[in-house]
């Protein structure tokens, strides 16, 4: 099988197909142009620098395309980067599907679809189930292919569905432990809580925030969709069941300063919030540990309030 | 003209018609029942205590009704209260319309309606005007009769419309002062920004928060209504004009910790937020000054971050 | 079966055996003495007021004793209280064991002991298992009978063990969901994390903070015990296994401002912290819901950052 | 008319007269000296780099002088800069007045002087008018030529007077809207509130903080001047009129953490504070929008609490 | 010697001369008038309640007068209070000087005057010494008789001078320990730093905040006096010596949020701030310990960020 | 005497023996390797850059060794650095003891030992004296040679003992000023409070945090040692004397958010905390002043909450 970006060693000559997931033309302080790029394949991301810029580079290269790149892997400020010697778009007969180069959720889309289908059946309250069905159908493809974030936690294709299912798995154990927890509401809200990200983010490749994402935010965006769905399905949006579902989704960031317009006022909202936070912490730990040798402490992690993380040595 | 609640002096005998705007049966620590009530007329509110509770009291009295009350005005902990000797519902031929006993906005409803109508014409962007028209028609009566708050600022009948118009008046001066301010957006958002309160609050009499008010909040409630209106009027809810209107309304509390899901990212949103805050401060000052003699400092005001306020002596 | 404190209705005559769990002699502002007491049985707590104080009352009554009390149940400021007419210590042949009047964990002590024993076997790292065994043996009786708090969450006999096991149950689901989580460490730390409370609190009856609890705090108190145990068992306290166990326990309040001297730097510490927080929230919700009718909002809850909680109506 | 700094395109050859408003000799990490400068004319500021430093450069150049500079306009990290090829002081017959190169307030000095004169007449309280007259006379030239800030809002010549008048304009609309606002006090304090900046800042060219500015701050500096003026004019500094004027000026930053030693305790102080804040926000928006294309979001703005700002596309 | 207020036991009959330091007429919730007073002598303060109010009481009594009071000492909510049976103004031949009833600083005024005189001589910088001499002469009597606070720390007659000298004593030890500390500046600023309190507070008896105290604050008030003194003494108020002295005084609260308009930027200002804070803490501990038995913890202390304080048992 | 690092001027040729206290191999963005080092002698630290890396450099150089280095002193971003031309380990007959190159406390070790010995005798409470003796003996060498911090305050050899003694000197003056301060406890805790740093830090050369330092922290580390010592010496660790000593040490950071698990609840703990803070501020001022010319303001200091510091001109 072909070598991937992460397989090359420092100072080794690289020649690979990869997805060009960012591209910027910059100038040195003395006035010389150069290219800063990100290359992506399923082994991860690497930054590339091209110090000699050709006319073809400027004409042909475009974010989101598959390219063939040659260069040398080097280290700069403790991070690997690729000194690019040549780069070109792929030709007929060579790989060209960006999706083949994206990192994927640990679980296959089909398996996640099956699990979601099974979960929906457990949402035995009629209105909640119909809303979930309606919206998961409306945004089916995006739900199973979008990342859950622009960067940081779950920033891989399929991450949105994977994250939502992780929450559900833990929610089951929490519901087992405490009284007066409505599993139907907890599952419905867990599946919908981050679905606004399909409107907030631009998609799985070269992900950025949309205008609606910046100006409205994913929490309000999904609330609006729930209300529109309810209208379409002839439900009373001020009946208790619809209020509880929207409340649980709206409150899932827990604190106003994290962007929720209301704080959790029912148990299901509190559980969803806390598990969402735990899942985010675990992803942040994984990222930090991946860059840290056993027996050492990581650099300070922005996503963990600037904490440094320890990678234990013992098994 | 008949004497009102505020007209009676300390220790004077009181006999008036008034609105019963709160009612609670309590027990002393030794076990004796008594009634705590609030009486309201256009001169203001006063607390009433009835130390001897009759069977009729328990059977007849109901919040929101007009009553005839007799008693003595007294002072307790620096606040006037009414020692109630007798109380009964009004009879045929006596006043019975609660609206006649509510404090009113300084401007008559008809005048405010005229002004709003004139303002809507100045919103010359088609979609914004249509949304404003649609929602002000849908909630016409409530917009012109609801208070703007449960307590504190603008807590009088018609306060919601009055507050919205105050913002517009100052917004005109601000728009005169700065470039690149879209008056159409600023007026549209000023008129709509607090309209969610007609869903958040129960109404002009004995005002309390509704279930939707607590679980969703007035900011999200009006955003949902804008989206439903746009759907009804066949607009694209993700086009820039609709996003800007929703953003301006959503951001009007300024900071996430005050309940806005997004911070102001355009000038109109920043202006609306700051004028809303200024208007709230002015109301809080008015309340504090009304209870403070010239040359003295008020007690600490919760609505002004526990500041004490000074009532100047000089003219 | 005999009626308990919670079984009596308002204005009903009460005659019960109960635990006297607090007792205070106060004077009215006019100078008259009276007694304020708390009575406890398995149905809960109730405040008692005795307005006529006898010499026997002053001579005989003592916190922690079982008494026979007669009076009338009344309501004061929305809370039930008992107007005490007479009170005396119990006599030969009447109930006298305080433990029979304490609220108990939902799980029997024997069942919890069995579960803990089984869990210890799953801590297959030798030093961690030996430390846990040593300390659970040293504080066996207290671990299974102490409450987990002076008030608020898990403030019932056996609450400490019950709380610790709740954490373990959810920790299993979390460990299933994420890679690189050492279950042995997570279980060991979960069992020990609040064990310092057996030194911080005075015991299951009339619980108060000890001098060591106030001056040192339960987090440092259990860390000291781990170090002393390790010394006794001839372990190296600066080896990685001992550092990880202490770190996980020390960091379980998550933030320095909540009393942890270090923030979680390993996944197990982060998980323990978050589940501890979730468990505390769930207890606070349960307390608030128990005092709130379906369809209503609770008063503001100190333990939930002054949030009001909603008790849903729907099933 | 001669081309100005902002008129040149990227990669275009530049030859202009400009004000040298900052100058620094630096060394590359390898030890080679170079010059970093700021050039200013009425079209704005641009950074200049000179990689070959001559003896004349070191001998002749001085901040605050007018220079003739030749070079090429380039882009570095998204910002335009000037690669300087040669630079020299201007000679007889060439422009040499720094004031001709400073950005100016949108309103001419004469017009602002007239307006201020008219406003002073509206301050019909004798002591307030005399204090304002005395201090505006004492610092006349500085008031009309100083910027209102070292950087950020109103950092142009004449900005101080322009900013003060902006506040007054809006204050009129606010005073129209609310009762019990003393316009005389509001205008007097608006004109004086930032006058301490003539002592805090060094002047219109190459503006920096003075020693008094750093150690005392502009709020206390103007308060001291009011007190000295009052002494000179034989007023009682502890009479109410003087206290109110000083209070309004002292409180204009609103919160202690923003440098006001007292919070606003009268309406006029609250209004001045809020309008000062609104004006600062509007300036910050203008700066951000000037650097952002329609349809795009700006970089995060330090002066707006790190908010990103949106530049709408629609007219 | 005559018994003082603190000498009487609970339930003992009291008959003493005392200073009436507060007086308020209140009404019970049922409408009956009563008097709440504070009585002061050198043994401390006690609250008095008079349940039967006579016409003479209302006509004669005035805060700040010496009275003869009879009654019974009682306990209410853990605090001693005096049930007043009769009260009258003192007559010819009886004590009448309020100063004889005030708590005094632990050091006699004469001794403090001598020490201050000696200290002034050590301020060998001419301008600093002249300013200190000028202001201590201007406010001589107030400096040596005012308390240092309305309540809490140093709230006794002479407390202002005593507090200032405490700071100087510790400042000497700090100056011994560190290089580059100018003792002349440190002593001058220590003597002046709280002198603004003679304008902020009303005096030693029935102390309250003045209008200037509330609207301007003692920090700015003393800065103004330094500037006026410098003007009078023909000094340059923008020369370094005057700036350093004002800076040290202005910065002595350390943080903007505590009311200093600038933070300490020189060592002397930092030292003064920290010692001022330490002295305040020590006073707060003394107050808490005085109300707490050895071996017990105090109630939460507002002046110590709501900390509870422990009174050790061991000697 | 031989020239030291600080003695060389800019652009002067350097040839000195020095301690190599840090060493890092980096790569330029274009891929060229270079060395970044820190050289230390008693005159201070300087950063060194070696742009041509030899095989010997990579093979021989090691942090903590004495080297002979030749190069040129230059300035980069306002800081001096050394352009290294050659570097080698020292040979037989040349200096080789790292301790000879470390900055030292202002007081000799022997003098500090004598003073500590004298102080211990003043701790006349038996258990406190025995604990102090035991731990100062156990960690004698480290206590007198470790720095008090990795960077910032007291980061010189012997700094730990020097810092502890500074606290004691000022504590004596504070104890003279206030009643009810137990000097024995204050001295014992002052000597022990930072002793955990001998476990938290790696030592006097190339100081870094240990694993125990990061995971447990120096405050808990010394508390553990006190408990182990008490166990060894057969003391009751829950008796008041041991609790007070541990409390004073544990609380010395003052606030939970600064890492103390409890806040100061006794006077001695409050004094230790405040003097520790004052000492840290003084060190931070010294560092800032050393880099700032008289009459100028320093850059913002991280250790002083980003304050800028002023270096006075006057003597």
């Amino acid at each position: 099988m072909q070598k991937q970006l992460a397989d090359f060693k420092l100072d080794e000559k690289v020649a690979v197909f990869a997805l060009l997931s960012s591209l910027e033309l910059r100038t040195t302080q003395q006035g010389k142009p150069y290219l800063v790029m990100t290359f992506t394949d399923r082994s991860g991301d690497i930054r590339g620098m091209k110090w000699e810029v050709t006319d073809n580079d400027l004409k042909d290269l475009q974010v989101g395309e598959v390219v063939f790149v040659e260069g040398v892997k080097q280290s700069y400020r403790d991070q690997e980067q690729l000194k690019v010697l040549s780069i070109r778009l792929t030709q007929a007969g060579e790989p060209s599907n960006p999706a083949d180069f994206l990192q994927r959720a640990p679980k296959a889309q089909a398996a996640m679809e099956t699990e979601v289908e099974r979960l929906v059946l457990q949402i035995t309250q009629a209105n909640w189930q119909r809303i979930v069905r309606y919206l998961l159908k409306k945004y089916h493809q995006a739900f199973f292919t979008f990342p859950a974030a622009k960067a940081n936690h779950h920033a891989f294709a399929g991450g949105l569905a994977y994250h939502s299912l992780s929450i559900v798995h833990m929610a089951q154990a929490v519901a087992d432990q405490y009284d007066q927890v409505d599993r139907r509401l907890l599952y419905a809200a867990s599946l919908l809580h981050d679905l606004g990200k399909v409107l907030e983010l631009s998609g799985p490749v070269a992900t950025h925030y949309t205008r609606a994402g910046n100006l409205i935010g994913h929490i309000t965006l999904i609330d609006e969709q729930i209300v529109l769905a309810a209208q379409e399905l002839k439900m009373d949006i001020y009946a208790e069941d619809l209020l509880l579902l929207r409340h649980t989704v709206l409150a899932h960031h827990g604190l106003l300063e994290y962007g929720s317009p209301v704080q959790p006022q029912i148990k299901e909202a509190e559980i969803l919030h806390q598990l969402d936070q735990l899942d985010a912490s675990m992803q942040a730990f994984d990222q930090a540990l991946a860059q840290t040798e056993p027996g050492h402490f990581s650099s300070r992690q922005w996503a963990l309030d600037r904490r440094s993380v320890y990678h234990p040595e013992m098994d």
Side-chain angles (χ1 to χ4, degrees), chain A:
Chain A
M1 188 199 149
Q2 207 194 324
K3 255 177 149 176
Q4 301 222 333
L5 287 165
D7 301 334
F8 295 91
K9 294 192 175 38
L10 272 185
D11 299 322
E12 186 176 351
K13 199 158 177 303
V14 172
V16 287
F17 294 104
L19 174 64
L20 184 66
S21 50
S22 85
L23 172 69
E24 203 183 341
L25 178 65
R26 294 196 193 152
T27 320
T28 66
Q29 204 162 17
Q30 282 82 354
K32 193 170 175 305
Y34 63 100
L35 291 173
V36 183
M37 297 164 279
T38 309
F39 299 107
T40 299
D41 67 14
R42 294 200 172 160
S43 71
D45 292 328
I46 192 168
R47 189 155 84 142
M49 312 295 290
K50 190 158 190 276
W51 298 104
E52 307 298 328
V53 183
T54 69
D55 288 351
N56 277 354
D57 291 347
L58 298 178
K59 199 179 56 185
D60 292 352
L61 296 178
Q62 210 171 339
V63 163
E65 298 285 331
V66 179
V67 296
F68 181 71
V69 59
E70 291 177 303
V72 181
K73 203 186 244 189
Q74 296 181 328
S75 167
Y76 179 65
R77 297 208 177 156
D78 291 336
Q79 286 202 292
E80 299 192 334
Q81 70 178 28
L82 192 60
K83 182 172 178 173
V84 176
L85 299 173
S86 75
I87 179 171
R88 63 166 174 80
L89 294 183
T90 55
Q91 304 159 345
E94 291 179 342
S96 66
N97 184 358
D100 295 339
F101 290 84
L102 290 174
Q103 286 179 270
R104 290 261 175 93
K107 217 167 185 169
Q109 181 171 338
M112 294 198 290
E113 285 172 334
T114 305
E115 186 177 0
V116 166
E117 195 50 45
R118 190 176 47 73
L119 271 168
V120 170
L121 292 176
Q122 295 179 39
I123 304 170
T124 54
Q125 204 272 357
N127 284 344
W128 293 337
Q129 193 189 81
R130 290 173 68 212
I131 295 274
V132 171
R133 274 197 191 288
Y134 180 96
L135 289 174
L136 287 187
K137 189 171 167 199
K138 181 171 181 182
Y139 297 111
H140 180 90
Q141 190 53 24
F143 181 63
F144 286 103
T145 56
F146 266 54
K150 178 171 174 292
N152 294 326
H153 76 106
H154 294 299
F156 45 75
L160 177 56
Y162 186 76
H163 163 66
S164 304
L165 287 170
S166 295
I167 301 294
V168 172
H169 298 158
M170 294 185 290
Q172 292 168 330
V174 175
D176 286 348
Q177 191 61 35
Y178 301 103
D179 295 335
Q180 288 184 279
V181 175
D182 191 324
R183 285 164 196 272
R184 306 166 305 173
L185 175 57
L186 190 49
Y187 297 170
S190 296
L191 288 173
L192 295 184
H193 80 290
D194 265 356
L195 187 57
K197 293 200 171 170
V198 307
L199 296 160
E200 181 181 59
L201 300 175
S202 59
V205 183
T207 308
H208 60 267
Y209 286 99
T210 62
R211 189 162 55 182
N214 275 316
L215 293 175
I216 310 290
H218 77 271
I219 287 184
T220 305
L221 287 168
I222 183 60
D223 176 77
E224 294 172 349
Q225 287 298 326
I226 293 172
V227 164
L228 290 170
Q231 180 88 339
E232 185 76 20
L233 299 169
K234 314 282 186 217
M235 298 172 189
D236 172 4
I237 65 171
Y238 300 121
E240 196 189 45
D241 56 357
L242 267 289
L243 289 177
L244 293 181
L245 179 61
R246 275 140 69 202
H247 173 76
T248 305
V249 168
L250 285 167
H252 87 265
H253 278 194
L255 294 175
L256 303 193
E257 45 268 58
Y258 297 158
S260 274
V262 282
Q263 280 191 283
Q265 290 165 269
I266 57 174
K267 274 186 160 181
E268 296 79 8
E270 181 73 14
I271 294 168
L272 174 56
H273 156 55
Q274 298 234 20
L275 293 178
D276 188 46
Q277 200 171 48
L278 174 57
D279 190 59
S281 297
M282 290 298 106
Q283 302 303 324
F285 264 91
D286 280 344
Q287 287 197 7
L289 291 174
Q291 297 158 12
T292 309
E293 295 297 307
H296 288 80
F297 289 84
S298 75
S299 57
R300 294 190 171 276
Q301 302 293 305
W302 183 86
L304 290 167
D305 289 319
R306 300 190 33 68
R307 260 180 281 168
S308 175
V309 153
Y310 180 65
H311 195 153
E313 284 180 306
M314 59 185 295
D315 334 289

